């Protein structure tokens, strides 16, 4: 019986692949190749420009990482190397609470606070813009980067630190030249997991980046944009059946398959890096 | 000779210290420390600003018509719209997670930690679970759409085209299953082997050891994982969009009777995402009020789980 329960996870994976594969196959075999390279992603009008949503996802991810890496890494180094146990007990839950905030809430925050108060104050961005959405996705990935990198640095044995102090190194030198190089696999894993999470984030972009229904190809982060995830959600939102020209419905499965393959690849690579940290210490 | 004189030894020590430090304070060290502190404080400030902003914007609605907001149904005007159907949907999603995902997840964790022999199969299952934990939530939505909404329509709701709270609850149960398995497996792994051996030593079977010794010892960890999973399920919106949560109007669906499970549904995060897109200050205030209600549930659950874990961690 317990075996059956454990096997459900395998069955779920199989079901995911099965449900994606059928319609993806229909899409791939029936779509005109020319429709995959047009001016924008408007599935209801038969325009499936894949680069629009892939570049959108890449831009959002890039902005998110620019926000999350410095903050997340600094928090991780502070918690792992500098904070006294008591300070750590207070500060760590802050990150964990931040991790528990649902992404719709960050979408609302991006739209009603980050966009008007921060982005529009310094630029002439439109109300819906990718920069604000990307920053909010960054906030979501801060706790992830922080906790995975902190784990990696804490698993570096103290003997390495003591050896470094014994040679007369200071705390900064020990942290930057001994602990971080020793934990580098874990830090890379944190980065990859963050990328995977940012690519898969839906609701922030859905709420705050505009472009419901479709988007022209755009690399302007101050304007609205569409990611792979939001493209799926916005086609399905509010309608009983996904309607539109020919392959609209199938295109969702195609995008989801793309997303599934990309994130699975990233997750497996990250897993390998995490394992490497564990093996060496 | 000179070294034996105490005064000179003291000044030598001072010389040595100043030689090493060159009479400099550790400025770069200090700057580095401040930079690190700035990082974690930024995270803290974002959290505080977010919560304060939402409470600020939502406070007129919360103070004037909280009861009305909780009891009325979805509508086209902000001053009469309410969350009763959304709360009901979220309530049932929580019930599904507790009844479906928790037993399944804990069983899987027991199998992986207590019964399975380490081999190719368990390694495969292990990698598979950790990969599932990283699959984007929209993709689970697609799974729910294909399996529960379309294939199992007869069971999930023939009248609502399968777009019912049953489909939603099952989809989110699958979504949080990896979280429950991973946290439960960690809790079970942390049970000291001495406890198991003591059980076997007095002739207990494997199941008896698991049931009366391992599980009670691992219970706080399992409970923490359950609460985290529940919080995640209650805040998740993207899969529900694909499963077909109603975003506009809903005539039915404020009854908590199980017979209504096959009807069309909506949930709190869905309502929040829809209301976020509506123009005007009034909608904004209503949205913020709905967010405050959701955050109250989700953050209290999260904070409770964290406190619970820290409490037991300190004890052992």
């Amino acid at each position: 019986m317990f075996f059956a329960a454990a096997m459900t996870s395998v069955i779920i994976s199989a079901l995911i692949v099965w449900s994606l594969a059928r319609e993806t196959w229909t899409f791939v075999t029936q779509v005109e190749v020319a429709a995959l390279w047009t001016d924008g992603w408007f599935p209801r009008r038969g325009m499936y420009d894949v680069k629009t949503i892939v570049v959108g996802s890449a831009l959002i991810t890039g902005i998110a990482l620019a926000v999350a890496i410095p903050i997340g890494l600094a928090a991780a180094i502070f918690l792992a190397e500098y904070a006294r146990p008591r300070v750590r007990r207070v500060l760590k839950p802050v990150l964990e609470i931040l991790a528990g905030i649902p992404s719709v809430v960050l979408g609302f925050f991006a739209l009603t606070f980050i966009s008007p108060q921060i982005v529009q104050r310094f630029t002439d961005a439109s109300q819906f813009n990718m920069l604000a959405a990307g920053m909010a996705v960054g906030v979501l990935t801060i706790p992830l980067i922080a906790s995975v990198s902190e784990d990696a640095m804490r698993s570096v044995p103290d003997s390495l630190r003591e050896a470094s102090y014994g040679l007369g190194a200071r705390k900064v030198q020990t942290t930057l030249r001994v602990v971080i190089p020793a934990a580098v696999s874990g830090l890379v894993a944190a980065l990859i997991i963050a990328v995977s999470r940012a690519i898969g984030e839906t609701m922030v972009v859905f709420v705050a980046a505009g472009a419901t229904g479709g988007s022209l190809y755009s690399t302007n982060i101050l304007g609205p944009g569409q990611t792979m995830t939001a493209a799926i959600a916005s086609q399905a939102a509010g309608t009983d059946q996904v309607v539109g020209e020919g392959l609209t419905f199938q295109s969702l499965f195609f995008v989801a398959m793309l997303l599934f393959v990309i994130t699975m690849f990233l997750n497996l690579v990250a897993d390998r890096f995490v394992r490497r940290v564990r093996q060496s210490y | 000779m000179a070294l034996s004189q105490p005064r000179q030894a003291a000044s030598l020590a001072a010389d040595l210290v100043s030689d090493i430090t060159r009479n400099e304070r550790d400025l770069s060290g200090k700057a580095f420390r401040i930079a690190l502190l700035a990082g974690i404080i930024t995270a803290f400030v974002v959290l505080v600003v977010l919560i304060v902003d939402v409470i600020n914007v939502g406070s007129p609605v919360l103070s004037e018509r909280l009861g009305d907001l909780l009891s009325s149904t979805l509508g086209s005007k902000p001053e009469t719209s309410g969350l009763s159907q959304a709360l009901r949907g979220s309530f049932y999603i929580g019930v599904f997670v507790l009844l479906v995902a928790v037993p399944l997840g804990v069983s899987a964790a027991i199998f992986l930690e207590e019964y399975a022999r380490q081999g190719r199969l368990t390694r495969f299952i292990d990698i598979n679970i950790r990969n599932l934990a990283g699959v984007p939530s929209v993709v689970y939505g697609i799974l729910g759409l294909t399996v529960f909404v379309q294939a199992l329509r007869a069971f999930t709701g023939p009248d609502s085209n399968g777009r019912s709270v049953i489909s939603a609850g099952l989809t989110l149960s699958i979504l949080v299953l990896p979280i429950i398995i991973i946290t439960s497996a960690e809790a079970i792994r942390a049970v000291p082997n001495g406890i198991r051996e003591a059980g076997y030593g007095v002739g207990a079977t494997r199941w008896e050891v698991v049931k009366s010794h391992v599980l009670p010892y691992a219970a706080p960890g399992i409970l923490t994982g359950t609460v985290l999973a529940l919080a995640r399920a209650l805040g998740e919106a993207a899969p529900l969009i694909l499963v077909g949560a109603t975003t506009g109007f809903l005539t039915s669906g404020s009854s908590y009777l199980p017979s209504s499970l096959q009807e069309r549904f909506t949930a709190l995060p869905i309502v929040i995402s829809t209301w976020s897109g509506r123009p005007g200050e009034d909608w904004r205030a209503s949205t913020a009020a709905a967010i405050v209600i959701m955050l109250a549930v989700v953050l209290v659950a999260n904070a409770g789980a964290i406190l619970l874990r820290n409490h037991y961690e300190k004890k052992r």
Side-chain angles (χ1 to χ4, degrees):
Chain A
M1 187 199 94
F2 291 132
F3 177 70
M7 284 310 284
T8 47
S9 72
V10 178
I11 296 168
I12 290 167
S13 296
L15 279 176
I16 291 180
V17 173
W18 174 74
S19 55
L20 292 175
R22 267 188 334 163
E23 306 286 0
T24 304
W25 180 248
T26 320
F27 181 79
V28 170
T29 47
Q30 292 186 10
V31 74
E32 287 169 47
V33 181
L36 294 174
W37 198 268
T38 52
D39 303 326
W41 177 262
F42 294 100
R44 281 170 208 210
R45 284 191 253 147
M47 290 163 75
Y48 312 102
D49 181 39
V50 180
K51 72 174 184 299
T52 302
I53 51 177
V54 172
V55 168
S57 282
L59 287 174
I60 293 279
T61 306
I63 299 164
L65 291 183
V67 172
I69 289 178
I71 299 177
L73 214 51
I77 298 174
F78 186 80
L79 287 176
E81 302 294 317
Y82 281 81
R84 262 170 255 140
R86 210 201 222 154
V87 180
R88 191 170 173 274
R89 262 208 303 281
V90 178
L91 286 180
K92 184 117 207 245
V94 171
L95 287 176
E96 287 170 321
I97 298 267
L98 196 60
I101 296 204
S103 55
V104 232
V105 176
L106 272 152
F108 177 79
F109 186 64
L111 183 62
T112 61
F113 189 88
I114 299 179
S115 176
Q117 302 287 337
I118 300 174
V119 175
Q120 286 183 323
R121 177 164 296 178
F122 299 110
T123 64
D124 53 352
S126 58
Q127 189 201 357
F128 293 96
N129 62 73
M130 286 199 267
L131 184 57
M135 286 164 80
V137 175
V139 171
L140 277 177
T141 50
I142 288 172
L144 203 65
I145 292 189
S147 80
V148 179
S149 343
E150 195 211 341
D151 280 348
M153 282 187 281
R154 281 167 77 88
S155 67
V156 173
D158 267 344
S159 57
L160 287 186
R161 293 186 186 89
E162 281 151 15
S164 167
Y165 293 141
L167 290 172
R170 287 170 177 166
K171 186 115 194 170
V172 205
Q173 294 162 329
T174 306
T175 305
L176 291 179
R177 301 206 191 143
V178 176
V179 179
I180 288 182
V184 76
S185 297
L187 302 183
V188 173
L191 184 75
I192 298 171
I193 294 172
V195 171
S196 164
R197 175 76 212 269
I199 291 180
E201 174 47 47
T202 310
M203 292 317 289
V204 171
V205 186
F206 179 70
V207 171
T212 42
S215 168
L216 282 171
Y217 175 71
S218 160
T219 51
N220 175 19
I221 55 172
L222 299 178
Q226 185 89 299
T227 62
M228 292 187 271
T229 50
I232 298 175
S234 65
Q235 290 311 313
T239 48
D240 215 20
Q241 300 286 322
V242 178
V243 286
E245 192 181 303
L247 295 167
T248 308
F249 182 69
Q250 282 78 11
S251 73
L252 301 189
F253 291 78
F254 171 70
V255 178
M257 185 62 134
L258 207 59
L259 206 56
F260 179 70
V261 171
I262 293 174
T263 52
M264 184 171 77
F265 173 74
L266 291 173
N267 293 339
L268 291 178
V269 174
D271 207 54
R272 184 130 307 171
F273 277 107
V274 170
R275 218 171 274 257
R276 196 180 290 170
V277 184
R278 258 185 233 146
Q279 269 166 3
S280 38
Y281 303 116
Chain B
M1 284 302 136
L3 279 177
S4 66
Q5 290 174 12
R7 243 191 80 98
Q8 273 189 350
S11 78
L12 187 69
D15 277 357
L16 268 175
V17 169
S18 77
D19 252 12
I20 293 169
T21 62
R22 291 196 201 110
N23 282 331
E24 284 167 17
R25 288 256 211 64
D26 185 11
L27 278 180
S28 62
K30 222 160 226 163
F32 186 62
R33 200 194 157 89
I34 288 170
L36 295 180
L37 202 58
I40 199 159
I41 287 176
T42 313
F44 183 66
V45 167
V46 170
L47 182 66
V48 171
V49 168
L50 187 149
I51 292 176
V52 168
D53 176 59
V54 170
I55 292 179
N56 245 343
V57 176
S59 63
V61 175
L62 286 173
S63 57
E64 278 164 32
R65 51 179 290 260
L66 179 62
D68 187 40
L69 185 75
L70 293 177
S71 61
S72 27
T73 53
L74 294 175
S76 57
K77 285 195 201 119
E79 53 283 2
T80 51
S81 285
L83 300 170
S84 65
Q85 296 141 323
L87 292 171
R88 167 190 176 273
S90 286
F91 168 78
Y92 272 124
I93 285 167
V95 171
F96 268 97
V97 167
L98 288 180
L99 294 184
V100 177
V102 174
L104 212 55
V106 175
S107 307
I110 293 175
F111 172 78
L112 288 175
E113 292 300 318
E114 297 290 322
Y115 286 84
R117 250 171 285 148
Q118 290 305 310
R120 263 209 197 135
L121 181 68
T122 46
R123 246 199 76 155
F124 174 68
I125 295 180
D126 201 46
I127 291 180
N128 185 45
I129 289 170
R130 263 178 294 143
N131 181 46
L132 278 181
V135 170
S137 55
V138 242
V139 175
Y140 282 99
I142 295 266
L143 171 76
L145 176 65
T146 323
V147 175
F148 300 124
V149 175
Q150 293 182 332
L152 299 176
R153 182 167 291 180
F155 162 68
T156 52
D159 297 330
S160 57
N161 279 331
R163 292 158 183 269
S164 67
V165 82
I166 302 180
S167 301
L170 291 175
T171 305
L172 287 183
S173 296
I174 288 182
L175 175 88
V176 298
L177 191 62
I179 305 177
I180 298 178
I181 299 179
I182 291 170
T183 49
S184 306
E186 258 166 28
I188 292 173
R189 207 176 304 142
V191 176
N193 251 331
I195 288 187
R196 294 188 187 92
E197 280 150 15
Y200 292 134
V202 294
T205 63
R206 183 168 273 197
W207 167 236
E208 284 165 346
V209 168
V210 168
K211 187 185 65 175
S212 8
H213 300 283
V214 174
L215 281 184
Y217 198 94
I222 294 175
L223 195 61
T224 308
T226 303
V227 178
L228 288 178
L230 201 57
R232 169 85 198 271
L234 293 180
E236 195 62 69
L240 299 184
I241 292 180
L242 283 146
V243 172
T246 307
T247 48
F249 308 98
L250 194 60
T251 44
S252 59
S254 41
S255 134
Y256 280 77
L257 294 174
S259 62
S260 64
L261 285 180
Q262 294 186 329
E263 288 172 8
R264 306 220 43 175
F265 77 105
T266 192
L268 205 43
I270 289 291
V271 170
I272 290 171
S273 100
T274 314
W275 286 5
S276 298
R278 294 194 178 161
E281 280 303 304
D282 291 340
W283 276 119
R284 217 183 124 197
S286 298
T287 314
I291 288 178
V292 171
I293 293 167
M294 181 165 82
L295 278 185
V297 178
V298 170
L299 292 189
V300 165
N302 269 321
I306 293 166
L307 286 178
L308 188 79
R309 193 200 53 209
N310 289 355
H311 178 73
Y312 280 95
E313 251 175 19
K314 234 195 284 177
K315 239 174 145 185
R316 277 171 198 156

